[in-house]
Amino acid sequence: MKGAGGKNSWALFLLILAGIVLGGFIGMLAGDTGGLSWLNYGQTFGLSEPVVLNLGIVVITFGLTIKITVASIIGMVLAIIIYRFL
């Protein structure tokens, strides 16, 4: 699956995902420091309680929570910039 510029869009997806994860990790580490605590500022949304579907034989549990922080947005933007230069 190629993008408009002939680049692989899966590579972009993986780079953005890595940027979000690394940014969130850096934000979590910086949350305890005084001057960089703003990196961990963000919003959490999703299902606070998991949804359980009991089918008798199989029990399926659904749950999804997403936390967007300033650091994860910065990581996503840096991933897109890196992708453009590759």
Side-chain angles (χ1 to χ4, degrees):
M1 187 159 108
K2 298 281 183 175
K7 293 184 179 180
N8 193 349
S9 56
W10 283 107
L12 174 63
F13 174 74
L14 290 176
L15 272 174
I16 289 175
L17 190 62
I20 290 172
V21 169
L22 288 175
F25 180 69
I26 291 171
M28 184 183 65
L29 291 177
D32 297 334
T33 61
L36 297 175
S37 63
W38 58 273
L39 287 172
N40 201 26
Y41 178 76
Q43 182 69 34
T44 302
F45 58 94
L47 297 172
S48 59
E49 296 288 328
V51 177
V52 178
L53 177 63
N54 188 350
L55 300 174
I57 297 173
V58 177
V59 177
I60 303 173
T61 304
F62 298 101
L64 178 67
T65 303
I66 298 174
K67 182 176 182 182
I68 304 289
T69 62
V70 173
S72 64
I73 292 171
I74 292 171
M76 182 174 56
V77 169
L78 287 175
I80 292 170
I81 290 172
I82 290 171
Y83 178 77
R84 286 193 164 271
F85 285 113
L86 288 180

